[in-house]
Each structure stands twice: as C-alpha cells, then as structure tokens.
Amino acid sequence: MADASEINPAPPATVPRAPSTRPAPPPPISCPPSQFNPTTVHPNPNAEAVTSSKTPKTPKTPRTPRLSLTPRFLTPLGSPMRKALRLTKLDPQDAWLPITESRNGNKYYAAFHTLCSGIGIQALVLPVAFTILGWTWGIIGLTLAFVWQLYTLWLLVQLHEFPETGMRYNRYIQLCTAAFGERLGKLLGLFPIMYLSGGTCVALIIIGGSTSKLFYQIVCGTAACAAKTPLTTVEWYLVFSCGAVVLSQLPNLNSIAGVSLIGAITAIGYCTTIWAVSVAEGRLPGVSYKPVKTGTRFQQVNSVLNALGIISFAFRGHNLVLEIQSTMPSTEKLPAHVPMWKGVRVSYTLIAMCLFPLAIGGYWAYGHLIPVNGGMLTALYQFHYHNISRFVLGMTSLFVIINALSSFQIYGMPMFDDMESKYTSRKKQPCPWWLRSIFRAMFGFGCFFVAVAIPFLGSMAGLIGGVALPVTLAYPCFMWLKMKKPKKYSSMWWLNWVLGTLGMLLSILLIAAGLYVVIDTGIKVSFFKPH
C-alpha cells in the first residue's frame, strides 16, 4: 500500500508554521494497483487524495471473428485472391435450385451419376456402324471417339472452377456464356443443351414405354395376353411417364444418387447380358463382315457419315458434367475436380467395358444382319426369342425399363433447375414444394405429350443430333482456349484448335447428311399415332 505522501508529494515550505496540537488525520486509503487510475489524482498538491466517482470499466472480452453469413456450401473456392479479401460474387439463388441446393457430393456420387448418364440405349446400335465401316475402321473410329470425348470431359472438369478467381461454373450454359459472351454463348449452347435434356427424356419415354409393353408380353405369355385386352402403346407411354413423374419429386441432384446407382447397375446389366447371350448363341448362318456399299458414291459417303454419327452419339452426358461436379464441396486443399475426376475414371472404365464388347461382340454375332432400328436389343428378340429362356428376356427388358426411369431423372434435372430459376429470380425466395411438384409433373407429362404427338421425332435424330454434337466434341476445346489461354503454338493450343475444328466440321457434315436423308427418303408424318 502506498501512503498519501507518495501519491501527492507536498511542495517545499516557504513560511514556517507553529506546531499544531491537533491529532494527525489517518492516512488516506489508496486503490489497489489493479484499480488505480492516474487520471483520478487531483493536480492540487494541497488537496487530499481524490477518487473517481465513476465505476471503473470492466475489461471487455476479446471479440471472436465475425462468422460469414454465406452458407458453407456457397463458400467460393479458396485461393490467393480470396486470402486478399477479393471474394467471388456468388448467386444466392444457387442455394434454392435443385442442382446446387446440396453440396455434399463425393467421388462415389460422381461415378453413379456419370455412369447412369453415360450409358444409354443408343449404345446398342453401335454394331450398325460396323456394318458400314468394317472391322478395322469400326474399331479405330470407336477408339478415337472414346479418347476424344474423354479428353473433352477432362477439359470440362478442369474448367468448372478457377483457383485464380474462386469462381465455379455450376452449369454448362454458364460456362458457355462466360467463354463466348452472353449473346453468343446462349446462341450456341442453349438449344443443344435443352435438346439433350428434354429430347433425351422424350426418347426415354418412347423406349421405356415400348419396352414395358414387350416386358408384359414376355411375362404373361402370348396366349394369356391374347385372351386379355392389352394396353395400347400410348397407354404404356403413360404408365412409364407416371413412374418417371413420381421419381422426379426427389428434391435435388444429390438426392437421386441412389437412383443413379440403380440406373448404372441396370445399364451394365442389360449391356453385358445382351452381348454375352449373343456371343454364347454363336454367329448366325450366312453372316458377312464385308462393309455394306450400296448406291452412288455420294450415298456411300453419306452412309459413312451416318456410321460416324452413330459412334459419336453413343457417348453422351457431357451436358451434365458441370452440374454433377457442382454438387461437391470445394476447398483450397481439396478442389472439386479431384473427386470428380476419380469418379469419372471409374465410370468410364466401366463404360468402356460395356461399349467395346457390345460393338465388337454384336458385330461378330450378327454381322450385316443386325437390325438398323433397335440394334442389339431388337436382334436379341428377333433371332433368339425361342432359343433363350423367358427369364433372361424378361430380366433384360426390366433392366432397360429401370435404366430409362433412372436416366430420366438426371437428364430432367437441368430442366427442373431452369424452371425453378424463373420463379426464384422473380420472387427472390425458394420455390415451395407444391409448386416444385407441379413444375416437374408438367415437364414429365409434357414429354409424354411430345412422345405421343410426334412419334417420328426419331427420324430426325441425325439432324438434331448433329446440332448437339459440338457440346461433346467441340465447345470444350474452344472454351479451354478462351478461358485458359494456353501459350500460342504450344501442344495444348494446337490440340484444342484441331479437335475443336474437326468437331465443328463433323457436326456440319452430320447436319448436311441428316438433311439429305430427310429430303431423299422423306419422313412419315403420323401425329398422335405411335407404333
């Protein structure tokens, strides 16, 4: 304790005073050192110690860093730019839309989605291309197409996110507009992407409905089915559409991971069953492997282009790669492209194990006798209906139906996302569950209406497919050149320029060949009369 003389020292006395007889006052009580405030000491040396009347302030607890109001799943990719507090501008509506609503995806989900969307019924037509190209050029063409589309898929995986800016492009159309500009990007990419989503769903209804009818006939038997009044083709389309609409009520892309897994398993199942049974049954009598050449030179060139188109259309799903990758969290230590590419490698290994045996084994078993419409599935029923058990035929048909139902969900998701984005952009709030159900039911039954009203849409598949082909083979190359800007005349610069240009030329040639087929052979227009 310090006494008063230590706090307020007395000045030197100039006038002597008489000694006082009064008792000395008690020494003033000083504040503890922890509460002592030097500003409370009065400057007058004659005054006694003065204490502050105000209650001393309690030391404040250090404030914790303020938490970000942005949800974790919207946090942009960690980067040096982010460390410098230059954060990416994110669209808050992403938290309300079905593609980006959930960000807990992983490499397994990526494999399920990629495998389900990458194998389709169009792969069963691959042996038809071999009848025109032959063994050598058929295998070469299939191998080059597989490597080409796998490379462009790798480009899309890498273009999904930019560590330099922390930006993530969650949809193909977003990347397209970022690379080519708002107007040109939508002009080049909007119709092909919408066709690859909506048009594929229409085709799945046609395939699923007709296969459901065939499955019913296999299960109940020809005699039993003849005694009953069978459902018409339109009614089978409606049955399949109702099942697809019910499954479409799952809220977001991550929620259908289990559906995609089932779709992937059934796709591998029916592809493997069809080629294995065809090879086990042996070659048909009178099979020839000589490339088919009919008509004039121009018609032969058109046939070769058609064969290349069949091989190109066998690979699909590039319009969904960015959407699948957007369901994954992305951090500085583990960017989203790492688990995505792991899932892609596994899925495309399985895809190759399905497509190459299907094309080679199917061509070996049927040769030039392979049916042009339907490919391997039609050949299995046409040539081996009485040779193999009804269980194998029924199981194969059931796998096709289940895969079509599963594929409908993942191909319809971009359309669901687009419809809901119109609502969220206007109302600035999430889409309510009942409106979301109405949107998806409208889309499902709208596809059913198109499948019934325009059953000849498949006759124009080559023409429309040529328009959509650049989404897979050309646009990714040009987007890499535009956004990554590789060194001029480097290997990546040359590779992307060559592949992008060849992809556009192939697309133009396929469109021309499709127009020739439409003009030369015509289209049997039969509105509301599906076969």
Side-chain angles (χ1 to χ4, degrees):
M1 289 267 208
D3 56 14
S5 62
E6 294 177 352
I7 299 176
N8 296 321
T14 57
V15 180
R17 294 183 180 179
S20 176
T21 58
R22 298 176 59 184
I29 300 174
S30 61
C31 297
S34 62
Q35 297 180 5
F36 176 71
N37 187 354
T39 59
T40 61
V41 180
H42 200 279
N44 185 0
N46 295 325
E48 297 179 349
V50 181
T51 57
S52 174
S53 60
K54 296 182 179 179
T55 304
K57 296 182 179 179
T58 304
K60 294 183 178 180
T61 304
R63 301 178 66 181
T64 56
R66 181 174 295 179
L67 297 177
S68 173
L69 297 179
T70 305
R72 290 186 178 180
F73 53 81
L74 284 180
T75 303
L77 179 67
S79 64
M81 300 292 287
R82 181 182 173 186
K83 293 178 180 179
L85 299 182
R86 294 178 60 182
L87 298 180
T88 303
K89 293 182 180 179
L90 296 174
D91 187 358
Q93 295 183 21
D94 276 351
W96 303 332
L97 298 178
I99 288 179
T100 50
E101 186 178 32
S102 174
R103 298 269 193 175
N104 60 354
N106 51 50
K107 60 184 178 182
Y108 303 105
Y109 287 12
F112 301 160
H113 292 315
T114 307
L115 191 55
C116 182
S117 61
I119 301 181
I121 201 72
Q122 74 280 356
L124 300 179
V125 195
L126 280 174
V128 177
F130 278 55
T131 62
I132 300 171
L133 300 175
W135 278 115
T136 303
W137 289 109
I139 295 175
I140 292 174
L142 182 59
T143 304
L144 290 177
F146 180 81
V147 175
W148 188 352
Q149 59 85 35
L150 186 60
Y151 170 71
T152 55
L153 193 149
W154 177 82
L155 293 180
L156 290 174
V157 170
Q158 300 299 318
L159 288 171
H160 170 76
E161 53 193 1
F162 283 77
E164 297 82 5
T165 60
M167 191 66 179
R168 298 183 69 178
Y169 298 100
N170 298 318
R171 296 160 184 83
Y172 195 104
I173 190 65
Q174 290 178 352
L175 182 61
C176 203
T177 54
F180 304 130
E182 188 75 19
R183 182 175 301 178
L184 183 59
K186 289 185 177 180
L187 180 64
L188 294 176
L190 192 58
F191 173 75
I193 293 170
M194 291 298 103
Y195 167 74
L196 288 173
S197 295
T200 302
C201 289
V202 172
L204 289 171
I205 289 178
I206 296 174
I207 294 168
S210 58
T211 310
S212 299
K213 180 180 180 180
L214 185 60
F215 174 73
Y216 175 76
Q217 293 174 351
I218 293 172
V219 170
C220 72
T222 307
C225 290
K228 302 177 182 178
T229 303
L231 296 177
T232 63
T233 303
V234 175
E235 290 171 337
W236 281 113
Y237 286 2
L238 182 60
V239 170
F240 181 87
S241 300
C242 290
V245 168
V246 171
L247 276 179
S248 69
Q249 301 307 314
L250 293 172
N252 52 58
L253 190 54
N254 266 341
S255 65
I256 64 170
V259 177
S260 294
L261 173 61
I262 296 173
I265 294 173
T266 52
I268 296 173
Y270 75 72
C271 287
T272 305
T273 302
I274 289 174
W275 74 258
V277 169
S278 300
V279 171
E281 291 294 325
R283 291 186 296 180
L284 296 178
V287 167
S288 173
Y289 302 117
K290 187 177 181 180
V292 177
K293 296 181 180 180
T294 57
T296 63
R297 187 76 175 177
F298 180 77
Q299 290 175 333
Q300 293 177 9
V301 172
N302 184 68
S303 298
V304 171
L305 290 175
N306 182 50
L308 294 177
I310 291 173
I311 293 176
S312 301
F313 300 150
F315 303 103
R316 62 179 191 174
H318 280 56
N319 59 307
L320 299 171
V321 171
L322 297 177
E323 284 79 354
I324 295 172
Q325 192 171 347
S326 68
T327 63
M328 301 180 184
S330 188
T331 61
E332 186 178 2
K333 293 183 178 179
L334 186 63
H337 68 82
V338 175
M340 180 65 187
W341 186 243
K342 289 181 180 179
V344 167
R345 283 185 298 178
V346 173
S347 62
Y348 268 81
T349 301
L350 296 175
I351 289 174
M353 292 172 61
C354 289
L355 297 191
F356 280 88
L358 195 64
I360 297 172
Y363 185 55
W364 177 85
Y366 303 110
H368 69 287
L369 300 177
I370 187 81
V372 177
N373 296 322
M376 292 282 288
L377 187 62
T378 303
L380 184 69
Y381 294 131
Q382 181 176 338
F383 298 114
H384 302 298
Y385 186 83
H386 301 289
N387 300 339
I388 58 179
S389 64
R390 287 168 54 186
F391 173 78
V392 174
L393 291 174
M395 182 184 66
T396 304
S397 302
L398 183 61
F399 281 173
V400 172
I401 297 168
I402 295 175
N403 175 256
L405 280 172
S406 304
S407 300
F408 186 95
Q409 310 310 316
I410 190 168
Y411 274 93
M413 196 60 70
M415 300 299 295
F416 304 155
D417 188 86
D418 183 67
M419 288 188 293
E420 292 184 29
S421 67
K422 299 293 190 299
Y423 175 87
T424 57
S425 60
R426 287 189 178 186
K427 298 295 185 179
K428 308 299 180 185
Q429 62 181 7
C431 188
W433 68 268
W434 56 268
L435 187 58
R436 171 178 285 185
S437 299
I438 292 175
F439 281 156
R440 300 186 179 193
M442 288 174 56
F443 173 77
F445 291 116
C447 291
F448 162 75
F449 178 80
V450 174
V452 174
I454 315 177
F456 56 89
L457 190 64
S459 303
M460 303 177 65
L463 175 61
I464 303 177
V467 179
L469 186 65
V471 172
T472 301
L473 299 181
Y475 291 166
C477 299
F478 292 126
M479 288 189 287
W480 180 272
L481 291 169
K482 183 71 175 178
M483 304 189 74
K484 291 294 186 179
K485 294 180 173 51
K487 185 179 179 181
K488 199 172 184 180
Y489 304 124
S490 63
S491 58
M492 286 295 290
W493 187 87
W494 278 113
L495 180 63
N496 286 286
W497 267 114
V498 170
L499 292 181
T501 305
L502 286 177
M504 294 303 298
L505 289 176
L506 181 60
S507 174
I508 293 171
L509 291 175
L510 290 176
I511 293 173
L515 284 173
Y516 172 78
V517 170
V518 171
I519 296 173
D520 184 58
T521 62
I523 296 178
K524 186 179 180 181
V525 179
S526 55
F527 292 101
F528 297 97
K529 293 180 180 180
H531 300 290

